[in-house]
């Protein structure tokens, strides 16, 4: 769980933790555009308290998704030693899509900040970009993926696939089909 800033009084720490718990619930239930006033109310604090801890929606999103990002980063390190580099990359991308699907609107939020290094969500996306770049480089060095593919391209495609799946909930296999189709286009062509 995202840790409150050091030096907070006990009551402020409890408020921080309640806000995160309620934000997770609200984002899972209503999407990432859930009312922040509702999050504050459910946590038993005023909106000013929410904004003191999280000065913007992206700052709150970043804190909410910190645990999942940590899990995905751990998983990327595990996959760096997998015997099939391309399979390892695909596995990780599928896990990202699954994670993005847990919160309606997350893929759209991540796409919106993909080129904004100053965004609070960059705290989540920058380490993900580095982890993915290592998996991608390994697959490219193995000769299984085209060398002109960047991790930025893959993460944008992954978010787009997650967004498409979110918009088509009656087709649970859509994300996997789109990822498979995308990856076929990324395969290295023997020369």
């Amino acid at each position: 769980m995202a840790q409150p800033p050091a030096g907070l009084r006990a009551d402020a720490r409890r408020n921080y933790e309640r806000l995160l718990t309620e934000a997770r619930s609200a984002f899972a239930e209503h999407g990432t555009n859930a009312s922040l006033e509702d999050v504050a109310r459910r946590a038993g604090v005023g909106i000013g308290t929410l904004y003191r801890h999280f000065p913007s929606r992206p700052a709150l999103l970043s804190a909410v998704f910190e645990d999942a990002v940590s899990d995905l980063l751990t998983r990327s390190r595990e996959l760096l030693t997998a015997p099939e580099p391309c399979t390892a990359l695909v596995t990780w991308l599928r896990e990202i899509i699954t994670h993005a699907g847990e919160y309606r609107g997350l893929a759209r939020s991540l796409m919106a900040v993909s080129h904004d290094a100053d965004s609070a969500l960059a705290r989540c996306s920058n380490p993900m970009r580095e982890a993915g770049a290592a998996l991608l480089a390994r697959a490219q060095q193995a000769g299984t993926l085209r060398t002109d593919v960047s991790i930025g391209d893959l993460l944008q495609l992954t978010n787009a696939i997650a967004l498409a799946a979110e918009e088509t909930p009656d087709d649970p296999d859509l994300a996997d089909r789109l990822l498979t189709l995308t990856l076929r286009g990324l395969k290295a062509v023997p020369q």
Side-chain angles (χ1 to χ4, degrees):
M1 177 183 246
Q3 296 299 312
L8 286 182
R9 296 182 330 258
D11 61 330
R13 187 176 312 112
R14 282 190 301 274
N15 288 344
Y16 180 94
E17 291 166 356
R18 279 197 316 265
L19 284 163
L20 278 180
T21 298
E22 294 304 332
R24 279 187 187 92
S25 295
F27 292 162
E29 190 176 334
H30 304 291
T32 58
N33 286 326
S35 164
L36 296 185
E37 288 83 5
D38 185 51
V39 169
R41 184 187 52 72
R42 290 166 58 168
V45 300
I47 191 69
T49 299
L50 183 144
Y51 281 117
R52 269 192 301 284
H53 288 292
F54 308 102
S56 65
R57 182 178 297 272
L60 180 58
L61 287 171
S62 179
V64 165
F65 303 128
E66 193 172 295
D67 288 340
V69 168
S70 178
D71 292 344
L72 288 166
L73 293 174
T74 298
R75 185 69 171 129
S76 73
R77 288 187 293 276
E78 293 168 359
L79 290 168
L80 276 174
T81 59
E84 296 291 328
C86 188
T87 302
L89 176 63
V90 171
T91 298
W92 191 68
L93 294 174
R94 277 195 173 101
E95 290 174 11
I96 290 173
I97 291 169
T98 299
H99 162 65
E102 292 174 12
Y103 296 97
R104 193 173 69 253
L106 176 58
R108 185 179 314 278
S109 296
L110 291 171
M111 288 178 76
V113 301
S114 65
H115 298 292
D116 182 2
D118 296 328
S119 166
L121 271 176
R123 194 171 96 206
C124 290
S125 62
N126 291 343
M128 292 287 289
R129 185 177 299 271
E130 292 169 12
L135 290 168
L136 173 61
R138 195 166 167 254
Q140 289 170 326
Q141 291 164 358
T144 55
L145 284 185
R146 295 170 27 177
T147 58
D148 62 340
V149 175
S150 75
I151 192 58
D153 295 340
L154 281 182
L155 291 175
Q156 281 289 74
L157 285 168
T158 304
N159 287 325
I161 290 168
L163 183 57
E166 177 183 308
E167 296 294 323
T168 317
D170 58 331
D171 187 353
D173 299 325
L174 179 65
D176 196 56
R177 283 195 323 273
L178 291 175
L179 183 59
T180 300
L181 179 63
T182 299
L183 293 171
R184 284 187 185 143
L186 300 174
K187 294 277 185 184
V189 179
Q191 307 241 342

